[in-house]
Amino acid sequence: MVELTNEYIEEVVKACRPFASRGKVIDHIPDLDQSHLTNLGVTIVTLDGETYSAGEDQDNFSFQSISKVILLLMALEDFGKDIVFQKVGMEPTDDLFNSISNLEEYGGRRPYNPMINSGAIATASLIKGTTVEERFDRILDFLRKITENDKITMSEEVYNAECKNGARNKALSYFMESTGVLSSQESDAALDLYNRVNSIEINSLALAKMGCFLSNHGRLIGGKKQIIQAENIRTVKAIMLTSGMYNESGTYAVEVGFPLKSGVSGGIVGSVPGRMGIGIIGPAINRKGNSCAGGEALRILSRDLELSLLHDRNVRNL
Amino acid sequence: MVELTNEYIEEVVKACRPFASRGKVIDHIPDLDQSHLTNLGVTIVTLDGETYSAGEDQDNFSFQSISKVILLLMALEDFGKDIVFQKVGMEPTDDLFNSISNLEEYGGRRPYNPMINSGAIATASLIKGTTVEERFDRILDFLRKITENDKITMSEEVYNAECKNGARNKALSYFMESTGVLSSQESDAALDLYNRVNSIEINSLALAKMGCFLSNHGRLIGGKKQIIQAENIRTVKAIMLTSGMYNESGTYAVEVGFPLKSGVSGGIVGSVPGRMGIGIIGPAINRKGNSCAGGEALRILSRDLELSLLHDRNVRNL
Amino acid sequence: MVELTNEYIEEVVKACRPFASRGKVIDHIPDLDQSHLTNLGVTIVTLDGETYSAGEDQDNFSFQSISKVILLLMALEDFGKDIVFQKVGMEPTDDLFNSISNLEEYGGRRPYNPMINSGAIATASLIKGTTVEERFDRILDFLRKITENDKITMSEEVYNAECKNGARNKALSYFMESTGVLSSQESDAALDLYNRVNSIEINSLALAKMGCFLSNHGRLIGGKKQIIQAENIRTVKAIMLTSGMYNESGTYAVEVGFPLKSGVSGGIVGSVPGRMGIGIIGPAINRKGNSCAGGEALRILSRDLELSLLHDRNVRNL
Amino acid sequence: MVELTNEYIEEVVKACRPFASRGKVIDHIPDLDQSHLTNLGVTIVTLDGETYSAGEDQDNFSFQSISKVILLLMALEDFGKDIVFQKVGMEPTDDLFNSISNLEEYGGRRPYNPMINSGAIATASLIKGTTVEERFDRILDFLRKITENDKITMSEEVYNAECKNGARNKALSYFMESTGVLSSQESDAALDLYNRVNSIEINSLALAKMGCFLSNHGRLIGGKKQIIQAENIRTVKAIMLTSGMYNESGTYAVEVGFPLKSGVSGGIVGSVPGRMGIGIIGPAINRKGNSCAGGEALRILSRDLELSLLHDRNVRNL
């Protein structure tokens, strides 16, 4: 097993950066453009509090689908497993993340899981608060706490673009209203909240801290307080494992082997339970929506550091 | 954490047996009928060689879909990852295990994964041997070796029924021939081999041994010889985790949290890496195809013995 | 062949009224309730200007899907065949009238045809006028002209209900915006116009006149002026023939055999080219969305009066 | 309206032949190859017995999907409407002619209609006779009678190729067996009969005679005997109108406007009720499966001779 050092992470970044050319930077998010094509930031925070980082780890890009993890964590805390999974399933799907057909096929009921857009909008309807602003502020506070970063904030520019270009998500939201997944009171607010959370800006260090929080079973590093119940953390990680990487989730389960969630801005959060959190931002994404360079970095890290949950190294023997 | 004893397993069987009444015994398999409704056998074999067992652990029923694990292991050994995953994907699907639509939707190419019928038939085409008999004998030898049971054999009666009632699988096989997944030379033989392997009879002890072999990274208990390469074992377990329990795989990842594969005769094989193998046979299955009593037993075992890969107990700390 | 008289129509109404009990009156349209269950109005207007009528032919119910015929006629006149059929197809579909999946399957492009909801919303975007009100007034003027009834108007109450309960159609509209079928400028207005036109109230006489206008190739009875080009009339009738009766269109082509369009308020417009227009309102609809009593009336009328386009009686010999 | 003469048909052929270059000749039918790319035969037989013909009207190519018309006619005569339409529907579909998904979506029941492969195989199971040979001979006799051509026969070479390349149709047949549309006794025989009928060789004159028989309501020209009941003829023509031209049926209903059925060897049979039958063979087909040059010829003929059922010319006025 390779030793984890800053130099090693630098080598990984160097080796993976060329893979960016296999992808494209999404063109409708204001804070991203083709000039970021070969950017790659990789940060690891271990459970003993060490940080290893390299590349453009200061890049701040919008959260996008990684927000789905935060929404699910909070909905589970706010309403509990039973109510959450009445509204959204926990099964992987072979449909696209923004698919609407599966809502129709599925007899007009629950979205398959909270990691696809429809499922995340449904999850967003289960965040407590009297106004969208209040609900958003609760989410932001939580995120700042677990990343130990008070400067994390939403980009107004990205939010406005999400609203303007959000016809597909509007369609998902109203379709769920039409089938009773969301009430007519819930649909607009849930969509608005979803757009806001997607527009939070974050860098690879914050993502690594977030992963570390998951790996530490819902506690801050060195902290004893259970901020999120351990069972809810396990639930979220299990769903990340089966559904976190869009339609490559099965492949990542085989090739990387620990809970991950990606976003179309090229971010990925990874959690190696008991060991570390991993944060990656590499804006060039492949056709499935996953960071090209970031995905390669995960494969190398998993192999070199023996990170798969299924690896003997990572298994506690009797 | 509960202590693992024979008495404990007996209690689990007692507690779970009533759940059988929520399901039905499949009626087209000759060795099964409604008289087996409340049967439940649960066996655990730990990596240090202890066996704990209770209930109808002597019941011998046909392998059915659990054979998919064996087919995939052998295909990976025979042809390697690259060739296997050119013919079959590794992504979970929301379609039924015997679905044909996904072969058409998917542009007429690979089945989604080796844990659905089409995928397993495609995998069966990648078992080396000059005749179906020879290929089957290689599989049987392998299974006898890893279960340390030379008496395991195929039921002619079940095999004949599989052939007679096998119109759906014929359709899958010929459809794959029509789209080039299988050649016209391969399709009949692959289907025949698939029917044979599904007709092997097995009990909960043999399933537990099989799970133990997976948990021990491809070695017999106490053995040093790597019978299957560790990487192939990891690949199979990862696919079991995301796709092993039909359309409840995501739910089992959350609620049980380790690699499993079920069959419609009510069998389930489970692998808790580094710790144990679990074998269950409870013939009453629910609408998704999974053993009702067996599924409940897994939830209880996972909770009591802290078996989830995502549980702190099961995670090796730094 | 039976002789067409008022007495005959009365007999048809009497014979068909009991079929209403096989269906249900839709419960979300304000002007309709279960008290209308057995209502049935049947009116025939022949091309020589005679009117035959019986039953509740004074019932005024909302247009609903029959509006799709008017929208298509006007869009064809306003923009021509080429532009209309770039936005919407002319192929029948086996999906439901309010299906959204077909928009996704179809590569995110045109709705299958103008007789399903998505297709009609797309068609509505092709009605000329600077405001929704102006566009709606043009449609209302046209409808009043061809039915020779200046009192036809929109029900505010129905319109408000259409807007309030319109989540499914909102989803269709925004989905089409997301795939570029509609621009962000068009989607809201097209949906609003669609809701308005669906809320126009009409009775069986007006429907019969509308059918007669189609049967007379785009001219009023006795009129020489071509109000709509004959080619556009033929196009609309051909699409009614293949797609006018929801997912029973093929069955009606066989059993009735001339252009029809139904709505969920139980209305049906029929056109027997060269001979007559037929208007029916029978609010109890079957699971496919078609009037139970009205459908039976059409089968009887077609048989007794030899109305099928494919009947020798209705074919001009060499 | 243009006058119908041999010279006129020659002009049509000349004008349409270049459209063949937009298509391709199918490469797996033995009697067809790219040398036939620009072939085009057009024959019209009128109900008063005149024949007008031009181009390669002596080309004999295999029947392919046009056989579906004959199978449906005979099944209706043999078992009647009720039994036939319990096994196969009469609704148009937006799926491909060889689609298997619709059999699964449709709850595993009837194929949508008799003009798609699954529907035609189901229809073939309803042809009376004790052996496949006997059933085939009855079909051949019928076809020879209505085309007044005793030399029509099956190509052994085409039949062998159909069997060899028939994996898709085997899949359809076994899938229907698995869902109970066909019994295990029926499936192999129905498929074999289907393959045989598809392999009958025919030219544009025979197709025109066949169309003429349909146009003459089930009687030979000048004959008084009702060979097929008039109602069954109407049923078949109505289904041809809504579903006869693969996924362009709606477009042909609009642009041509009378019952048609095409095959992938480039043949088309057309029936203009009361007026004429049309036979076309132009082997270059487009992506939907319809003859490129033949389709163009139909559009021109329909326009010039005013053949649409919806045209005033073709409508018998009061």
Side-chain angles (χ1 to χ4, degrees):
Chain A
M1 197 177 75
V2 168
E3 193 191 356
L4 179 53
T5 61
N6 276 310
E7 291 69 36
Y8 167 69
I9 302 296
E10 267 166 35
E11 278 171 39
V12 170
V13 168
K14 199 175 160 190
C16 296
R17 212 187 279 282
F19 286 81
S21 63
R22 297 184 181 178
K24 285 186 183 168
V25 179
I26 237 170
D27 53 13
H28 65 260
I29 305 180
D31 59 3
L32 275 182
D33 60 45
Q34 302 308 318
S35 73
H36 303 102
L37 184 79
T38 60
N39 284 25
L40 177 62
V42 175
T43 304
I44 287 179
V45 175
T46 61
L47 257 68
D48 53 11
E50 296 297 321
T51 297
Y52 307 89
S53 196
E56 285 76 26
D57 53 9
Q58 300 308 310
D59 276 356
N60 264 288
F61 295 126
S62 59
F63 223 5
Q64 300 300 328
S65 285
I66 305 175
S67 72
K68 293 173 165 85
V69 171
I70 299 295
L71 287 167
L72 180 57
L73 280 172
M74 289 200 65
L76 285 169
E77 288 291 303
D78 279 3
F79 285 90
K81 214 167 159 177
D82 289 351
I83 287 176
V84 168
F85 294 114
Q86 272 165 24
K87 220 182 229 330
V88 60
M90 49 173 115
E91 289 302 324
T93 174
D94 52 58
D95 289 313
L96 291 179
F97 68 98
N98 63 2
S99 171
I100 203 159
S101 304
N102 62 48
L103 297 171
E104 199 161 45
E105 288 168 13
Y106 209 62
R109 288 177 49 255
R110 300 180 310 170
Y112 274 111
N113 67 63
M115 299 292 124
I116 54 175
N117 288 14
S118 55
I121 295 169
T123 308
S125 75
L126 293 172
I127 307 295
K128 287 190 177 165
T130 51
T131 62
V132 172
E133 287 75 15
E134 190 183 315
R135 293 156 76 187
F136 177 72
D137 286 345
R138 286 188 61 229
I139 293 171
L140 193 59
D141 284 349
F142 169 68
L143 187 62
R144 287 173 172 176
K145 187 189 292 174
I146 66 172
T147 58
E148 299 174 287
N149 180 343
D150 278 351
K151 297 200 176 132
I152 285 176
T153 191
M154 182 189 92
S155 159
E156 287 287 341
E157 200 186 9
V158 173
Y159 170 65
N160 290 335
E162 294 288 318
C163 295
K164 195 181 157 223
N165 304 321
R168 175 69 67 111
N169 288 332
K170 273 194 208 174
L172 291 170
S173 188
Y174 288 122
F175 194 90
M176 288 191 284
E177 182 186 324
S178 81
T179 60
V181 173
L182 298 177
S183 72
S184 58
Q185 281 74 43
E186 289 171 328
S187 60
D188 286 334
L191 180 61
D192 190 17
L193 183 58
Y194 175 73
N195 283 336
R196 285 171 196 246
V197 184
N198 280 4
S199 306
I200 293 173
E201 293 208 308
I202 206 155
N203 59 23
S204 61
L205 176 61
L207 289 172
K209 291 270 183 119
M210 181 180 154
C212 206
F213 174 78
L214 295 171
S215 300
N216 202 27
H217 313 292
R219 301 182 302 264
L220 296 182
I221 301 168
K224 297 209 163 170
K225 195 182 162 198
Q226 197 74 35
I227 295 175
I228 297 278
Q229 296 174 60
E231 191 197 346
N232 288 341
I233 293 283
R234 279 201 301 274
T235 296
V236 171
K237 284 190 289 194
I239 293 174
M240 289 167 72
L241 199 53
T242 58
S243 305
M245 295 295 280
Y246 301 117
N247 297 121
E248 292 187 310
S249 300
T251 305
Y252 275 90
V254 168
E255 296 182 355
V256 174
F258 52 84
L260 298 164
K261 181 74 201 88
S262 57
V264 290
S265 56
I268 306 174
V269 63
S271 162
V272 188
R275 292 180 66 187
M276 65 183 68
I278 302 178
I280 293 181
I281 293 191
I285 61 172
N286 66 14
R287 289 174 55 187
K288 308 279 178 148
N290 293 317
S291 172
C292 294
E296 188 59 20
L298 285 168
R299 277 184 286 273
I300 291 176
L301 291 169
S302 179
R303 182 197 63 199
D304 289 352
L305 305 174
E306 296 173 357
L307 300 178
S308 167
L309 292 179
L310 299 165
H311 201 282
D312 6 354
R313 166 65 184 79
N314 212 33
V315 166
R316 178 163 163 178
N317 290 319
L318 280 169
Chain B
M1 197 177 77
V2 169
E3 194 192 355
L4 179 53
T5 61
N6 277 310
E7 291 68 37
Y8 168 69
I9 302 296
E10 267 165 35
E11 278 170 40
V12 170
V13 168
K14 198 175 161 190
C16 296
R17 210 187 282 279
F19 285 82
S21 63
R22 299 186 180 178
K24 286 185 183 167
V25 179
I26 237 170
D27 54 13
H28 64 262
I29 304 180
D31 59 2
L32 275 180
D33 61 47
Q34 302 307 318
S35 73
H36 303 102
L37 186 79
T38 59
N39 285 25
L40 177 62
V42 175
T43 305
I44 289 179
V45 176
T46 62
L47 260 65
D48 51 13
E50 296 296 322
T51 298
Y52 306 89
S53 195
E56 286 76 26
D57 53 8
Q58 301 308 310
D59 276 355
N60 265 290
F61 295 126
S62 61
F63 222 6
Q64 300 300 327
S65 284
I66 306 176
S67 72
K68 293 173 165 86
V69 171
I70 300 295
L71 288 168
L72 180 57
L73 280 172
M74 289 200 63
L76 286 169
E77 288 290 304
D78 278 2
F79 284 91
K81 215 169 161 175
D82 289 351
I83 286 175
V84 169
F85 294 113
Q86 272 164 23
K87 218 181 231 332
V88 58
M90 49 173 115
E91 290 302 324
T93 174
D94 51 59
D95 289 312
L96 292 178
F97 68 96
N98 63 3
S99 170
I100 204 160
S101 303
N102 62 48
L103 296 172
E104 199 161 44
E105 287 169 12
Y106 210 62
R109 288 176 49 255
R110 301 181 307 171
Y112 274 112
N113 66 63
M115 298 292 124
I116 55 175
N117 288 15
S118 54
I121 296 168
T123 308
S125 76
L126 293 172
I127 307 295
K128 287 189 177 166
T130 51
T131 64
V132 172
E133 288 73 16
E134 188 183 318
R135 293 155 77 189
F136 176 73
D137 286 343
R138 287 188 59 229
I139 293 173
L140 193 60
D141 284 347
F142 170 68
L143 187 62
R144 287 173 170 177
K145 187 190 294 177
I146 67 172
T147 59
E148 298 172 288
N149 180 343
D150 278 349
K151 297 198 177 136
I152 287 175
T153 190
M154 183 188 93
S155 159
E156 288 286 342
E157 200 186 10
V158 173
Y159 169 65
N160 290 334
E162 294 289 318
C163 294
K164 194 181 157 222
N165 303 321
R168 175 69 68 110
N169 288 332
K170 273 193 209 173
L172 291 171
S173 188
Y174 289 122
F175 194 90
M176 289 191 284
E177 183 186 324
S178 81
T179 60
V181 172
L182 298 177
S183 72
S184 57
Q185 281 73 43
E186 289 171 326
S187 59
D188 287 333
L191 180 61
D192 189 18
L193 183 57
Y194 176 73
N195 283 336
R196 286 169 194 245
V197 184
N198 280 5
S199 306
I200 293 173
E201 294 207 308
I202 205 154
N203 59 21
S204 60
L205 177 59
L207 289 172
K209 290 269 182 120
M210 181 179 153
C212 206
F213 174 77
L214 295 171
S215 300
N216 203 25
H217 313 293
R219 299 183 302 263
L220 296 182
I221 301 168
K224 297 209 163 170
K225 195 183 162 197
Q226 198 75 35
I227 295 174
I228 297 279
Q229 297 174 60
E231 190 196 347
N232 288 342
I233 294 283
R234 280 201 301 275
T235 295
V236 171
K237 284 191 288 193
I239 292 173
M240 290 168 71
L241 198 54
T242 58
S243 305
M245 295 294 280
Y246 301 118
N247 297 121
E248 292 187 309
S249 300
T251 304
Y252 275 88
V254 168
E255 296 182 354
V256 174
F258 53 85
L260 298 164
K261 181 71 202 90
S262 57
V264 291
S265 55
I268 307 174
V269 62
S271 162
V272 189
R275 293 180 65 187
M276 65 184 65
I278 301 178
I280 293 180
I281 292 190
I285 60 171
N286 66 13
R287 291 174 54 186
K288 307 279 178 151
N290 293 318
S291 172
C292 294
E296 188 59 20
L298 285 168
R299 279 183 286 274
I300 291 176
L301 292 170
S302 179
R303 183 197 63 200
D304 290 352
L305 304 174
E306 297 174 354
L307 300 179
S308 167
L309 291 179
L310 299 165
H311 201 285
D312 5 355
R313 165 66 182 79
N314 213 33
V315 166
R316 177 162 163 177
N317 290 318
L318 280 168
Chain C
M1 196 176 77
V2 169
E3 194 192 355
L4 179 52
T5 62
N6 277 309
E7 291 68 36
Y8 168 69
I9 302 295
E10 267 164 36
E11 279 171 39
V12 170
V13 167
K14 198 175 160 191
C16 296
R17 213 187 279 281
F19 286 82
S21 63
R22 300 185 180 179
K24 285 186 182 167
V25 179
I26 236 169
D27 53 14
H28 64 260
I29 304 179
D31 59 3
L32 274 182
D33 60 46
Q34 302 307 320
S35 73
H36 303 102
L37 185 79
T38 59
N39 285 26
L40 177 62
V42 175
T43 304
I44 288 179
V45 175
T46 61
L47 259 67
D48 52 11
E50 295 298 322
T51 298
Y52 307 89
S53 197
E56 286 75 26
D57 54 7
Q58 300 308 310
D59 276 355
N60 263 290
F61 295 127
S62 59
F63 222 4
Q64 299 301 327
S65 285
I66 306 175
S67 71
K68 292 173 165 84
V69 171
I70 299 294
L71 287 168
L72 180 58
L73 280 171
M74 290 200 65
L76 285 169
E77 288 291 303
D78 279 3
F79 285 90
K81 214 170 162 175
D82 289 351
I83 286 175
V84 168
F85 293 114
Q86 272 164 24
K87 220 183 231 328
V88 60
M90 50 173 113
E91 289 302 324
T93 174
D94 51 59
D95 289 312
L96 292 178
F97 69 98
N98 64 2
S99 170
I100 203 160
S101 303
N102 62 46
L103 297 172
E104 199 161 44
E105 285 167 17
Y106 210 61
R109 287 176 51 258
R110 299 181 310 170
Y112 274 112
N113 67 62
M115 298 293 124
I116 54 175
N117 288 15
S118 54
I121 295 169
T123 309
S125 75
L126 294 172
I127 307 295
K128 286 189 178 168
T130 51
T131 63
V132 172
E133 288 75 14
E134 188 182 316
R135 292 155 77 187
F136 176 72
D137 287 344
R138 287 188 59 228
I139 293 171
L140 193 59
D141 283 349
F142 169 69
L143 187 62
R144 286 173 172 176
K145 187 189 293 177
I146 67 171
T147 58
E148 299 173 288
N149 179 343
D150 278 350
K151 296 198 177 135
I152 286 175
T153 190
M154 182 188 93
S155 159
E156 288 286 341
E157 200 186 11
V158 173
Y159 170 65
N160 290 334
E162 294 288 319
C163 294
K164 194 180 157 227
N165 302 321
R168 175 70 66 111
N169 288 332
K170 271 193 209 174
L172 291 171
S173 188
Y174 288 122
F175 195 91
M176 288 191 284
E177 182 185 325
S178 81
T179 59
V181 173
L182 298 177
S183 72
S184 57
Q185 281 74 44
E186 288 170 327
S187 59
D188 287 333
L191 180 61
D192 190 18
L193 183 58
Y194 176 72
N195 283 336
R196 285 171 196 246
V197 184
N198 280 4
S199 307
I200 293 173
E201 294 209 308
I202 205 153
N203 59 23
S204 62
L205 176 59
L207 290 172
K209 290 269 183 121
M210 181 178 152
C212 205
F213 174 78
L214 296 171
S215 299
N216 202 26
H217 313 292
R219 300 182 303 263
L220 296 182
I221 301 169
K224 299 210 161 169
K225 195 184 162 195
Q226 198 74 35
I227 295 174
I228 297 279
Q229 296 175 61
E231 191 198 345
N232 288 341
I233 293 284
R234 279 201 301 274
T235 295
V236 171
K237 284 191 289 195
I239 293 174
M240 290 166 72
L241 198 54
T242 58
S243 305
M245 295 296 279
Y246 301 118
N247 297 121
E248 292 186 310
S249 300
T251 305
Y252 275 90
V254 168
E255 296 182 355
V256 174
F258 51 85
L260 298 164
K261 181 74 201 87
S262 57
V264 290
S265 56
I268 306 174
V269 62
S271 162
V272 189
R275 294 180 64 187
M276 63 183 68
I278 301 178
I280 292 180
I281 294 191
I285 60 172
N286 65 12
R287 288 174 57 188
K288 307 278 178 151
N290 293 318
S291 173
C292 294
E296 188 58 20
L298 285 168
R299 278 183 287 272
I300 292 176
L301 291 169
S302 179
R303 182 198 62 199
D304 290 352
L305 305 174
E306 298 173 354
L307 300 178
S308 166
L309 292 179
L310 298 166
H311 201 283
D312 3 355
R313 166 67 183 78
N314 212 32
V315 166
R316 177 162 163 177
N317 290 318
L318 280 169
Chain D
M1 198 177 74
V2 168
E3 194 191 355
L4 178 53
T5 61
N6 277 310
E7 292 69 35
Y8 168 69
I9 302 296
E10 267 164 36
E11 279 170 39
V12 170
V13 168
K14 198 174 162 191
C16 297
R17 211 188 280 279
F19 285 81
S21 63
R22 299 184 180 180
K24 285 187 183 164
V25 179
I26 237 169
D27 53 13
H28 64 260
I29 304 180
D31 59 2
L32 274 181
D33 61 46
Q34 304 306 319
S35 73
H36 303 103
L37 185 79
T38 59
N39 285 26
L40 177 61
V42 175
T43 304
I44 288 178
V45 176
T46 62
L47 259 66
D48 52 12
E50 295 297 322
T51 297
Y52 307 88
S53 195
E56 285 76 26
D57 52 9
Q58 300 309 308
D59 276 356
N60 264 290
F61 296 126
S62 61
F63 222 6
Q64 300 298 329
S65 285
I66 305 175
S67 72
K68 293 173 164 86
V69 171
I70 299 294
L71 288 167
L72 180 57
L73 280 171
M74 289 200 65
L76 285 168
E77 288 290 304
D78 278 2
F79 285 91
K81 213 168 162 177
D82 289 351
I83 286 176
V84 169
F85 294 113
Q86 273 164 22
K87 220 181 230 328
V88 60
M90 50 173 114
E91 290 301 326
T93 174
D94 51 58
D95 289 313
L96 292 179
F97 68 97
N98 64 1
S99 171
I100 203 159
S101 303
N102 62 47
L103 297 172
E104 198 162 45
E105 288 169 13
Y106 210 63
R109 287 178 50 256
R110 300 182 308 172
Y112 274 112
N113 67 61
M115 298 292 124
I116 55 176
N117 288 15
S118 55
I121 295 168
T123 308
S125 76
L126 294 173
I127 307 295
K128 287 189 178 164
T130 50
T131 62
V132 172
E133 288 73 16
E134 188 184 317
R135 293 155 77 189
F136 176 71
D137 285 343
R138 287 189 58 229
I139 293 171
L140 193 60
D141 282 348
F142 169 68
L143 186 62
R144 287 173 172 176
K145 187 190 294 177
I146 67 171
T147 58
E148 299 172 287
N149 179 344
D150 278 349
K151 298 199 177 135
I152 286 176
T153 191
M154 182 188 92
S155 158
E156 287 287 340
E157 199 186 11
V158 173
Y159 169 65
N160 290 334
E162 294 289 317
C163 294
K164 193 179 158 225
N165 303 321
R168 175 70 66 110
N169 288 332
K170 273 193 208 173
L172 291 170
S173 188
Y174 288 123
F175 195 90
M176 289 191 284
E177 182 186 325
S178 81
T179 60
V181 173
L182 298 178
S183 72
S184 58
Q185 283 73 43
E186 289 171 326
S187 59
D188 286 334
L191 179 61
D192 189 18
L193 184 57
Y194 175 73
N195 283 336
R196 286 171 195 246
V197 184
N198 280 5
S199 307
I200 293 173
E201 294 207 309
I202 205 154
N203 59 22
S204 61
L205 176 60
L207 289 171
K209 290 269 182 118
M210 180 179 154
C212 206
F213 174 78
L214 295 171
S215 299
N216 202 27
H217 314 292
R219 300 182 302 263
L220 295 183
I221 302 168
K224 297 210 162 170
K225 194 183 162 197
Q226 198 74 35
I227 295 174
I228 298 279
Q229 297 174 62
E231 190 196 346
N232 288 342
I233 294 282
R234 280 202 300 277
T235 295
V236 171
K237 283 190 288 193
I239 293 174
M240 290 166 72
L241 199 53
T242 58
S243 305
M245 295 295 280
Y246 301 116
N247 298 122
E248 292 187 309
S249 299
T251 304
Y252 275 89
V254 167
E255 297 183 353
V256 174
F258 53 84
L260 298 164
K261 182 73 201 91
S262 57
V264 290
S265 56
I268 306 174
V269 62
S271 161
V272 188
R275 294 180 64 188
M276 64 183 67
I278 302 179
I280 293 181
I281 293 190
I285 61 172
N286 65 13
R287 290 174 54 186
K288 309 279 179 149
N290 294 318
S291 172
C292 295
E296 188 59 20
L298 285 167
R299 279 183 286 273
I300 291 176
L301 291 170
S302 179
R303 182 197 64 200
D304 289 352
L305 305 174
E306 296 173 355
L307 300 178
S308 167
L309 291 179
L310 298 165
H311 201 284
D312 6 354
R313 166 64 185 79
N314 212 31
V315 166
R316 177 163 163 177
N317 291 318
L318 281 170

